[in-house]
Amino acid sequence: GGAGGGGAARIASHYKYALSHIFQARPDAPAALVVEDDLLFSPDFLEFFQANAPLLESDASTFVLSAWNDNGFRGRVRDPYALRRTHFFPGLGWLLPRKLYKDELERKWPREHWDHFLRDPAQHRGRESVFPEVPRSFHNGKKGTFVDESLQRRYFSDIDYNTDPRVSWRERTLSLGRAPFLLADGEVYEARLEELLSRCQHVSQLSELAGGPPRLRCLWVEAGVDGAMGAPPAFQRVAEALGVWHEHVRGAHDGVHEFTFNNHHLVLVNVHAAAKCKYGGLRPDGVRIFRPRDFSPGALRPNVGLPGDARLVAAQRTGEDCNAACAREGLRCDAWRLSMGNDCDALKAHFACGGGCVDSFGPEQPAYVSPSAPREKLPGACVVSTSPERSTCESSHPYTTRLCACA
């Protein structure tokens, strides 16, 4: 009792009870593997933890080991054996060392929002969570205390977790001649990242990411990570263009994200002061730093497609939302990919755009303005949103016809 009636309080109380009980019931267990009832697991889920758990004992700069990658989206991951580090606790299948829980966390476990608690610098104290580039868990819940079907589709449904039963950490150890987790040791990881920054091809034009032979590329940006007065953070525009989480801290290692983009191994370095990047001094003289405004609608058009069975569908009339437009095709609106149609070329492929193509703002955009609309509404124009992250499947406008992403 005493946990209160809120969902966050009940969950935090349950976690503390379960963790304290398991360590008491299993006094010889060095760690506890924490999972949730709405997760699906990779064939090598348990082997992943067994193979990499020794890192928690050998490297004092590690915090926990997680199966989840916040940016593990389809088309953004490739190497099933690569490990990454972040100060942002990922959760969703994670290994908690007994010593960490009993010596530090148990006595001050929070009354609510246990995951926020673990992300607090006061708890991780600079230590990092280690996670796989290719996730080993998949969030399959559509209804929960903090998740609904819309959030599931937007942030979880496109996670590309490993489903290949041939992935073997034992065989990987034999081929490397050493345990793979040693590459995620704090000092080794820092040296590897500095080496990548020393030999990568630095992006000078975003069009360089359009395709071509796979290369190691570094993209330097300066984008604020905190919004002001309710506005989205500047980094969100960068994230929407590159297809990663709009919250910069997720999956970041001291201001750096690594992921696959159009088959390139992309190292994204955010040198904005708020990103707390410590690698700014490694940028060669003259290498361009991109700002959020450079990621204008269409800037990465050759690079951004609609993965899998997704496609762009034009609504049939003004005032129709994307849920209805996609349903007519036997599909569902994909909120995460709405921004993929947010450029002039995509709109002109579906509408006349006789009134030109202009920047605008609205949750129902990208869209085509009816020729019969009032003059101040730009009749006949195609409009692209300057904040595509705010577009939703449910939005509509009496004077516009939407361009929707359906899957």
Side-chain angles (χ1 to χ4, degrees), residues 309-313 322 325-327 329 331-334 404-407:
D309 58 356
R311 58 190 176 95
L312 295 177
V313 172
C322 283
C326 293
E329 302 292 322
L331 303 171
R332 300 176 67 176
C333 175
D334 189 332
C404 308
C406 306

Side-chain angles (χ1 to χ4, degrees), residues 75-76 209 241-243 259-266 300 303-304:
R76 298 296 174 268
L209 299 175
L242 296 175
F259 52 92
T260 298
F261 190 80
N262 282 341
N263 291 320
H264 299 298
H265 179 174
L266 186 62
L300 289 168
N303 318 303
V304 179

Side-chain angles (χ1 to χ4, degrees), residues 312-314 345-353 403:
L312 295 177
V313 172
D345 289 340
L347 285 162
K348 289 176 180 177
H350 292 83
F351 304 108
C353 301
L403 181 59

Side-chain angles (χ1 to χ4, degrees), residues 22-23 25-32 96-99:
I22 193 63
F23 283 124
R26 303 288 183 179
D28 296 329
L96 172 64
R98 168 189 288 273
K99 181 176 177 59

Side-chain angles (χ1 to χ4, degrees), residues 73-76 154 158 238-244 261-262 296-308 310-313 334-350 365-366 384-385 388-389 391 402-406:
F73 301 109
R74 188 177 298 114
R76 298 296 174 268
R154 187 175 181 92
D158 206 29
V238 179
E240 287 286 338
L242 296 175
V244 295
F261 190 80
N262 282 341
S296 59
L300 289 168
R301 175 61 185 173
N303 318 303
V304 179
L306 294 172
R311 58 190 176 95
L312 295 177
V313 172
D334 189 332
W336 179 257
R337 297 188 179 114
L338 285 173
S339 62
M340 303 307 185
N342 193 53
D343 68 70
C344 296
D345 289 340
L347 285 162
K348 289 176 180 177
H350 292 83
Q365 298 171 10
V384 292
S385 176
E389 70 281 352
S391 298
R402 296 197 62 176
L403 181 59
C404 308
C406 306

Side-chain angles (χ1 to χ4, degrees), residues 73-120:
F73 301 109
R74 188 177 298 114
R76 298 296 174 268
V77 297
R78 181 165 48 196
D79 185 349
Y81 299 108
L83 299 175
R84 302 283 181 254
R85 297 175 63 102
T86 182
H87 287 115
F88 188 88
F89 168 73
L92 298 181
W94 52 287
L95 191 66
L96 172 64
R98 168 189 288 273
K99 181 176 177 59
L100 174 62
Y101 182 72
K102 298 300 290 185
D103 292 356
E104 300 181 36
L105 303 179
E106 184 179 35
R107 59 183 171 80
K108 53 181 178 178
W109 195 261
R111 293 183 178 271
E112 58 183 7
H113 300 300
W114 66 272
D115 49 346
H116 295 180
F117 166 77
L118 291 178
R119 291 163 183 155
D120 186 342

